[in-house]
Every structure is written in C-alpha cells, then in structure tokens.
Amino acid sequence: MIGGGGPRAFWEREQRSALGRPVPANGAAGGPPPAQPPTARPVTAPRPVGPPPRVGGAVAALVVAVLTLAIPALGASLGLWFFLLLTNLPGIGLGVTALAKIPDTAEVERFLRYTWACNLAYVAMFVVFLVPVLVLLAVTAYYS
C-alpha cells in the first residue's frame, strides 16, 4: 500500500520515512540515501524561546505613567505645590526600563508589572490625598 495513492503513501514519499531514508515512488525501501548538500547557515545567537515581548503593553503603561503628570501640574496650577511631591517618577522610570529591555521577554514582563503597580498605587494615593484637600477647600469656601 506504500506505493499506492493513499495518504500514507504520500506522507512516506514526500516527508521521509521514520528511518531517515526517502521512500521511492514504487514503494521499495532500499538503496543508499541521496547525498545532502551542506547548508551554510550563519552562526548567530540563539533566538529567545517563547512569545515576543509585549511592547504595546509596555508603551501603554509608560503613556499612562506620563499622563499621571497632569495631576501634579493641575495641583501646582491651583496653588497646591505639595502635589508636586506626588509625581509618579518611579512609574515613568520603570516604564522606560521596560522598553529598554525589549529583547528579553521575561524582563519586559517583569518591568511591565512593576510599571502598572506604580501607576495603580499612584492613582490610589492620589485619591487618598484628594479627599482631604477637597474637604479643606469646601470648609474654607463655606466659612469665607
């Protein structure tokens, strides 16, 4: 049946048998294997195993970290200069580091997690600081 026209015959003819020798079209598995020309492949560093790094996620985290600079800028424009102390510099630095580590997938993922953690911690800290400031502004507006 190997010499027939079934799927197995096609597979055996086209791919190579399990022994590493090609099977002739007539089904006789004999004879020496044909000489293989040497392939000249350039020697390079091994390619990383696994999926490519999430560059889009790293860029998004960095953009969010840079957009958080609007909060201290708004606070400074309102005359509340202590909001400049709440700048998300760690998030920006970690986002830049994530983009700098692009060939290494594991490092990009690690710094991407750190950047998002800084961004979320920054937003939570901003809410904690914003509530007393709003209460203070409301009290001063009420008594003036």
Side-chain angles (χ1 to χ4, degrees), residues 48-104:
V49 179
R54 294 179 15 193
V55 177
V59 169
L62 180 61
V63 166
V64 170
V66 169
L67 286 177
T68 59
L69 291 176
I71 295 170
L74 179 64
S77 69
L78 293 174
L80 304 172
W81 294 101
F82 63 89
F83 267 88
L84 291 177
L85 296 174
L86 296 175
T87 306
N88 191 10
L89 293 179
I92 294 170
L94 289 169
V96 169
T97 305
L99 287 175
K101 303 268 185 190
I102 281 184
D104 189 6

Side-chain angles (χ1 to χ4, degrees), residues 11 24 29 33 38 53-54 75 77 104 106 117 119-121 129-130 135 137 140:
W11 181 259
R54 294 179 15 193
S77 69
D104 189 6
N119 290 343
L120 293 175
F129 275 91
L130 184 65
V135 169
L137 290 175
T140 56

